[in-house]
Amino acid sequence: MGKAEKEQLNRALTAHLNTIHETLQVLDQSPPSNSMEKVTWSQVIQIGEQVSKQATIAGMLWNGESPQAKEVAENVNSYFNVLQGFLLLSHGSTVGAGPTLSSSIHESVKHVVDCSFRLMKEDVSLYGSHNKEKKLSMPQIVGAVWEACSALKKVPPTNVTAIGRAMTQVAVSMKDVLREINELKPASSNPGDETCDNTPSKTESKPENDDMSDDDLGSDLSPEEMKVAQLAHGVVSETLVVIKELIRTITGMLKLETPNDNGKFVGSLEKLLKICQGVGAEIDEIGACLYPPQEIDEIKLALEKMSSRINEIQQEVESFPTSSEPFVEACSGLRTVLKQMEAQLNCLSATELTTKMQNVAVIN
């Protein structure tokens, strides 16, 4: 196991790594729809299984006696040939893919490449090494390649599926806001009641509450603030219904995704996703503003933006050949609760202004 052989293996490895890096740069550029034939994702999964098999072979080299330099070199060459084919097929699968699907593909492909690089570097570094612990780490590194290749099966095969999943993530975030709203509680209307009947006061019982988190502090709401929180709960709930109906609507449009419309349909779906993510951001803003002291002006601004975004969503959906009555009804229901909350907030703002003017009059 001479030094010259080890240097030759390292040079070969470096050349392969550079080639893969160059191929990845090509992957970053989406191919025009009419420039090459689209590769199905099932084909990518199949060649991913070949990558997984090559990883197994690489790991088996080190199960017994240390392999010869020629065996290691042949294994490295075989592995990178399969990996190169994997990348080219992956690139072909991005034909007609929108930003959301492309992002999912690139992320999964990069994971396979990263794990493969680690495996091949370890493979070459083990040659000539007498470190037994490094050999013991090979099964774990090979396993990482297996997992990365297996994860290819979870990549959405179409634009519709990819965008539907992204919208589902928006809905999941909204559910988190809904849960936080449910955890808000009203402040005690009569703090003195807590000390009646020999019940320990807050000060006396403090040691029992030492494990309270910072999130528990300052979250008690006045009756007026609870009213706002309840209205916000309704808004978030109705928004969730809209998102769910939107997902149901677009997932029923798989047949409309064709390469013949120059990406027009996919472009509409991407636009819908972007608007939905904007709605999700407004929901997050409303949830954050519910903690005392509540930021009423910020909530009103978020509601105004939501109303505009919902109109955009419905207008975009109505441009599709098929319509969905449940989706339209969901949008109508959301508009109703938005108007109710806006009216209540305006009423609170007017009451607050009147109180301030009265206080000024008393001072004067």
Side-chain angles (χ1 to χ4, degrees), residues 28 35 40 363:
D28 288 336
S35 66
T40 64
I363 294 173

Side-chain angles (χ1 to χ4, degrees), residues 209-356:
N209 295 324
D210 283 345
D211 59 346
M212 286 180 67
S213 67
D214 292 338
D215 293 337
D216 293 325
L217 302 178
S219 60
D220 292 356
L221 307 184
S222 67
E224 292 78 11
E225 289 171 332
M226 278 302 299
K227 177 81 172 179
V228 173
Q230 290 165 358
L231 290 167
H233 186 282
V235 166
V236 178
S237 297
E238 290 297 328
T239 305
L240 268 170
V241 174
V242 169
I243 299 299
K244 289 177 181 177
E245 288 299 333
L246 176 60
I247 294 172
R248 189 176 288 113
T249 299
I250 67 168
T251 50
M253 297 181 180
L254 278 169
K255 293 181 180 179
L256 296 180
E257 184 178 344
T258 63
N260 301 326
D261 67 349
N262 295 317
K264 184 179 178 182
F265 176 63
V266 174
S268 293
L269 295 185
E270 292 286 356
K271 181 179 179 181
L272 281 171
L273 173 59
K274 189 173 182 179
I275 300 172
C276 281
Q277 290 169 335
V279 172
E282 302 308 331
I283 290 294
D284 288 341
E285 179 70 15
I286 291 173
C289 290
L290 292 177
Y291 292 91
Q294 290 181 342
E295 302 176 52
I296 300 300
D297 289 340
E298 294 298 324
I299 296 176
K300 289 167 68 175
L301 180 60
L303 293 175
E304 185 179 331
K305 290 181 179 179
M306 278 187 62
S307 181
S308 175
R309 294 186 197 277
I310 294 303
N311 290 338
E312 288 183 65
I313 290 175
Q314 185 168 351
Q315 184 177 3
E316 195 67 32
V317 171
E318 288 176 346
S319 69
F320 295 143
T322 58
S323 60
S324 170
E325 192 64 30
F327 170 74
V328 174
E329 291 176 359
C331 289
S332 178
L334 176 55
R335 288 194 187 91
T336 298
V337 294
L338 283 172
K339 290 177 181 178
Q340 289 174 350
M341 188 168 184
E342 287 172 357
Q344 183 65 30
L345 293 180
N346 288 333
C347 184
L348 287 173
S349 298
T351 302
E352 184 179 354
L353 179 61
T354 302
T355 302
K356 288 181 178 179

Side-chain angles (χ1 to χ4, degrees), residues 15 42 47 51 59 91 161 177 181 184 207 212 244 292 346 348 353:
S42 61
I47 196 168
V51 173
H91 185 56
T161 306
V177 174
I181 294 175
L184 293 172
M212 286 180 67
K244 289 177 181 177
N346 288 333
L348 287 173
L353 179 61

Side-chain angles (χ1 to χ4, degrees), residues 100 161-177 240 243 247 273 276-277 280 284:
T100 303
T161 306
I163 291 171
R165 288 185 187 178
M167 287 182 178
T168 300
Q169 288 303 309
V170 175
V172 169
S173 179
M174 289 182 185
K175 287 182 179 179
D176 289 339
V177 174
L240 268 170
I243 299 299
I247 294 172
L273 173 59
C276 281
Q277 290 169 335
D284 288 341

Side-chain angles (χ1 to χ4, degrees), residues 101 110 125 149 187 223 227 322 337:
L101 178 56
K110 188 177 184 303
S125 71
C149 292
K227 177 81 172 179
T322 58
V337 294

